Each structure stands twice: as structure tokens, then as C-alpha cells.
């Protein structure tokens, strides 16, 4: 998962939103998707710059029926979280002034999440969906039935 910078930076935002968007590095790095934050004071085990997931919501405007968000990674890993759980979440996109060496193009950070496994690396698609309100957050590799601690 290192040295992926030869791949284009692209994060697709899809599903139950008013404005589906293709996020480029400059959108985040130039502050067009919200204020840029140093993550270390918020998540001491990480370094680099991020935007708040909630500030992205202002741009893409989730529809009323959206309840959950699926973060799809380039290695087929994915996590599904409720919009409520994503309140404090961050999208890490830059370290040492450069695109990520690990987790490129963006990494989801869930500071108060129930598992470190929710910190999805290499997110390439953010998909807004509707699911039963009681459906809890999950993670794992696609097409693998049991979701357990990896
Ligand atoms: N894309 C992707 N993200 C992922 C994983 C993965 O296999 N692929 N593993 C998850 C799990 S189970 C954990 S514990 C953490 C590990 O993060 P680290 O590589 O920074 O230690 O990443 C999470 N994010
Ligand atoms: Mo994990």
C-alpha cells in the first residue's frame, strides 16, 4: 500500500446525495471541501492533514433517506457506518505536504469508533445508502461473509 502516487487521485462520491462528486486532491488541499485540520491533536496516533466528513456533507448534500455510508477501498476492503457514527470522522489526505504514501488517496479516521478497523485506507468511493436504522457499522473484505476482527 505504499508508493501509489502514480495512480490518479480520485474519490467518487455516489448514491443518495444531491450532488454526486469526483473529489480531486486539489479540492481537499485548497480547502474547497472544508477547513483543513491537523489530525494529531484529534487523533494522536496519526499525523497529517484532514477535512471533517461533516464539512464534505455541506458540498454533496445527502438526501433525507440516506442513513449509512459505505467506504470502498481500492483493495476491496470496505466499511459501512451510520451517518451518526460519522459525526466526528475525518478524511486524511495529506502528510508532509504531499498526498498519502500509505492510505492514498484518502483514509477514513473514526476517532471514537468501536474498532480501529473502521479507519479505512485507500478510500476510492464514498457511497450514501439507505439501510435499516438498527443496522450497526461493519467492515471487512467484499464477498466475505463473516465480519470479524482482522
Ligand atoms: N483498505 C484497507 N483499509 C483497512 C484495512 C485493510 O485491510 N484495507 N484494514 C483495517 C484494519 S482491520 C485495521 S486494524 C487498520 C490497520 O491500520 P494500519 O495499517 O495503519 O495499522 O486498517 C483498517 N483499514
Ligand atoms: Mo483491525
Amino acid at each position: 500500500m505504499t508508493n501509489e502516487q502514480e495512480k490518479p487521485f480520485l474519490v467518487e462520491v455516489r448514491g443518495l446525495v444531491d450532488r454526486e462528486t469526483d473529489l480531486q486532491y486539489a479540492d481537499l488541499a485548497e480547502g474547497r471541501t472544508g477547513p483543513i485540520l491537523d489530525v494529531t491533536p484529534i487523533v494522536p496516533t496519526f499525523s497529517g492533514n484532514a477535512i471533517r466528513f461533516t464539512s464534505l456533507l455541506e458540498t454533496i448534500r445527502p438526501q433525507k433517506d440516506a442513513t449509512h455510508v459505505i467506504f470502498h477501498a481500492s483493495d476491496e476492503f470496505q466499511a459501512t457506518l451510520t451517518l451518526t457514527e460519522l459525526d466526528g470522522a475525518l478524511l486524511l489526505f495529506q502528510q508532509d505536504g504531499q498526498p498519502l504514501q500509505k492510505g492514498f488517496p484518502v483514509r477514513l479516521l473514526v476517532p471514537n469508533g468501536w474498532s480501529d478497523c473502521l479507519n479505512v485506507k485507500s478510500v476510492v468511493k464514498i457511497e450514501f445508502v439507505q439501510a435499516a436504522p438498527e443496522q450497526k457499522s461493519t467492515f471487512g473484505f467484499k464477498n466475505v461473509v463473516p465480519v470479524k476482527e482482522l
Side-chain angles (χ1 to χ4, degrees):
M1 275 286 148
T2 54
N3 272 322
E4 295 207 332
Q5 288 180 39
E6 64 275 8
K7 289 191 189 170
F9 188 107
L10 178 64
V11 183
E12 298 177 323
V13 182
R14 296 290 184 268
L16 301 175
V17 297
D18 282 345
R19 290 195 208 148
E20 291 191 329
T21 309
D22 286 350
L23 293 174
Q24 316 274 342
Y25 182 69
D27 296 325
L28 294 111
E30 293 171 13
R32 293 200 279 270
T33 47
I36 297 167
L37 306 172
D38 174 8
V39 297
T40 307
I42 307 169
V43 205
T45 51
F46 284 89
S47 66
N49 287 328
I51 60 159
R52 287 198 183 278
F53 183 74
T54 50
S55 64
L56 180 65
L57 298 183
E58 292 170 26
T59 311
I60 56 111
R61 299 201 200 131
Q63 294 169 358
K64 283 199 181 64
D65 45 357
T67 59
H68 291 64
V69 185
I70 309 172
F71 292 82
H72 300 262
S74 59
D75 62 354
E76 305 278 284
F77 189 83
Q78 64 177 37
T80 304
L81 294 94
T82 65
L83 276 168
T84 310
E85 286 176 295
L86 288 164
D87 260 354
L90 301 162
L91 294 173
L92 181 71
F93 67 94
Q94 189 179 57
Q95 278 168 334
D96 301 320
Q98 298 295 321
L100 301 182
Q101 289 285 328
K102 174 182 166 180
F104 177 92
V106 300
R107 180 168 194 172
L108 176 69
L109 298 179
V110 189
N112 299 312
W114 61 274
S115 170
D116 284 345
C117 313
L118 296 170
N119 296 327
V120 183
K121 293 174 272 193
S122 305
V123 174
V124 290
K125 183 160 87 171
I126 301 175
E127 184 184 10
F128 289 74
V129 299
Q130 182 175 33
E134 64 274 14
Q135 188 187 303
K136 300 277 187 273
S137 53
T138 58
F139 55 82
F141 285 91
K142 284 174 197 172
N143 305 318
V144 176
V145 178
V147 175
K148 53 190 177 205
E149 292 289 319
L150 297 170

